[in-house]
Amino acid sequence: TGPADGAPDPSRLYDVDANGVAVGQVLPDGVSANRFGVVSFPDRSEMIDLEALCSTHPDYPAGWRLTFGYRISDNLLISGDLYDPSGVLHTFATQLIDDGPAADPTVAWFRHFRSTTYGATSDYGYLRDASEAGELLLQVEMDGPNSFLWDPVTDEAIGPFGYYFEVNNARQMINRDELYDADQLPDLTPQPLPNTIDNRTEGDAWDNSEAGTVAGVIRNLKGQGAESLGRIVNGSWQAVGPSVSGMLHSAVCSINDAEQILGVSGGRLGFYFDDPTVGYRWVDDLVAGTTADLALWDSAEGIGFTSTAGISLSDADSTGYGTICGARTVDGVERGFILTPVLAP
């Protein structure tokens, strides 16, 4: 439902899987205080209210608000923000079961991270990232190292360790200066990243089927081309090249298992997927669809939500390309979007 003027409620989609299922949030009438998390399925015309869905499960805490679906991992494992009645932020995880569009999905289980179990001063939990395998990297309130890696399926966690942004299926985490391999605990020595990338790096949590071979792709937060892209292979830095150019002064948003890269520059989306000599291609030039679809896309005023965390590229599907999700501003209203790859005839 939309506001009184009939326009759609603002919406944002933050993450999408290779099947085109996306998660995000809706802001009724544009009011942030009333926001709720949603999940979007490609075979349903309307997004599903995650709070309404999950609150039917007996383990959902009564009176708590599920405001944000932030990450979707394999097998419909969804995680994000959950607020208790006193306003404290928690990290939730839930597993959905989908039997098709005739009915809403069901909730197999629902949990939230209890950081006081691990010595934190409160059960506050801020979700930073989730691997495709479903392990969640989050921060809690405690002195010193305050990051944990939580497996919500088993409800077990390891930590605390330092401040990290992203995690992959090999349980390797990264921040601006170093890579941290969770499997080395407790005898851990973080591996410094090369300072040739300006000490301003962040690793995207893309995954490799040979877990442990590729730790992740490193990106320059200033987006200065693929000179800032590389990976850790068998303990050594290996540049991804040759150089990908064409997105100076931009931000790299997401990298997938096919080493395809999604970036933003000047409010426009760029997509690198095959030729380093060509570099990024504007997504606007790649979009196809019905006349109505194209008219809606062309009427948008650029990327509505400019945080790089709010634009996502899934792992490649059967076409060999990833699905894109994010938000664009249409007639002054942020609206979540999904772009599904289709092979050209």
Side-chain angles (χ1 to χ4, degrees):
T1 59
D5 61 8
D9 283 322
S11 60
R12 300 166 176 169
L13 294 176
Y14 284 78
D15 198 22
V16 61
D17 69 12
N19 296 314
V21 182
V23 293
Q25 65 181 182
V26 168
L27 294 81
D29 296 321
V31 180
S32 179
N34 296 333
R35 66 194 184 280
F36 57 90
V38 293
V39 57
S40 169
F41 286 83
D43 57 2
R44 294 167 170 85
S45 60
E46 295 185 358
M47 293 185 287
I48 296 172
D49 182 336
L50 274 172
E51 180 177 328
L53 179 67
C54 292
S55 62
T56 62
H57 193 275
D59 291 335
Y60 186 93
W64 291 34
R65 295 183 56 242
L66 194 160
T67 61
F68 187 14
Y70 183 50
R71 288 289 182 256
I72 181 165
S73 303
D74 293 341
N75 302 315
L76 296 181
L77 196 158
I78 295 171
S79 52
D81 292 356
L82 183 71
Y83 284 87
D84 67 26
S86 64
V88 174
L89 172 65
H90 302 253
T91 293
F92 82 87
T94 189
Q95 186 98 51
L96 301 186
I97 299 173
D98 181 33
D99 292 322
D104 283 345
T106 56
V107 179
W109 51 260
F110 185 93
R111 297 185 179 98
H112 64 92
F113 185 65
R114 293 173 170 83
S115 52
T116 51
T117 303
Y118 299 92
T121 56
S122 76
D123 273 331
Y124 167 90
Y126 173 60
L127 179 62
R128 299 291 305 192
D129 193 29
S131 71
E132 299 300 327
E135 287 191 297
L136 277 54
L137 177 63
L138 49 87
Q139 289 176 268
V140 305
E141 289 184 336
M142 62 192 316
D143 294 333
N146 64 348
S147 294
F148 284 84
L149 192 61
W150 177 40
D151 181 348
V153 176
T154 62
D155 200 16
E156 297 178 349
I158 58 174
F161 39 83
Y163 182 68
Y164 293 89
F165 298 144
E166 309 251 1
V167 62
N168 67 7
N169 275 355
R171 309 182 83 205
Q172 294 158 325
M173 292 155 282
I174 204 163
N175 63 17
R176 293 172 179 167
D177 301 304
E178 61 193 21
L179 178 140
Y180 189 106
D181 191 331
D183 285 338
Q184 295 180 15
L185 289 171
D187 300 320
L188 177 68
T189 302
Q191 177 171 339
L193 297 176
N195 57 17
T196 55
I197 44 181
D198 196 25
N199 284 325
R200 295 286 299 170
T201 60
E202 184 174 352
D204 193 40
W206 73 282
D207 307 312
N208 188 297
S209 58
E210 299 179 65
T213 302
V214 178
V217 175
I218 316 306
R219 63 193 185 218
N220 188 314
L221 291 182
K222 296 177 182 178
Q224 296 172 342
E227 294 87 356
S228 57
L229 293 172
R231 55 194 175 192
I232 303 292
V233 178
N234 298 326
S236 299
W237 174 260
Q238 185 179 94
V240 173
S243 171
V244 177
S245 60
M247 290 287 285
L248 296 180
H249 310 297
S250 66
V252 175
C253 304
S254 189
I255 303 163
N256 69 7
D257 60 341
E259 293 191 12
Q260 297 160 353
I261 307 164
L262 189 65
V264 174
S265 181
R268 299 181 71 189
L269 278 175
F271 188 27
Y272 167 75
F273 53 88
D274 61 351
D275 189 345
T277 63
V278 173
Y280 284 85
R281 307 175 196 224
W282 295 120
V283 170
D284 289 340
D285 298 333
L286 301 173
V287 172
T290 66
T291 301
D293 289 339
L294 292 175
L296 184 62
W297 183 265
D298 291 340
S299 70
E301 302 156 25
I303 300 301
F305 188 54
T306 56
S307 167
T308 57
I311 304 168
S312 182
L313 174 68
S314 79
D315 281 352
D317 63 12
S318 59
T319 68
Y321 298 91
T323 297
I324 297 170
C325 79
R328 285 168 69 90
T329 303
V330 180
D331 296 329
V333 179
E334 272 190 328
R335 299 182 65 177
F337 72 83
I338 297 175
L339 297 177
T340 303
V342 177
L343 294 178

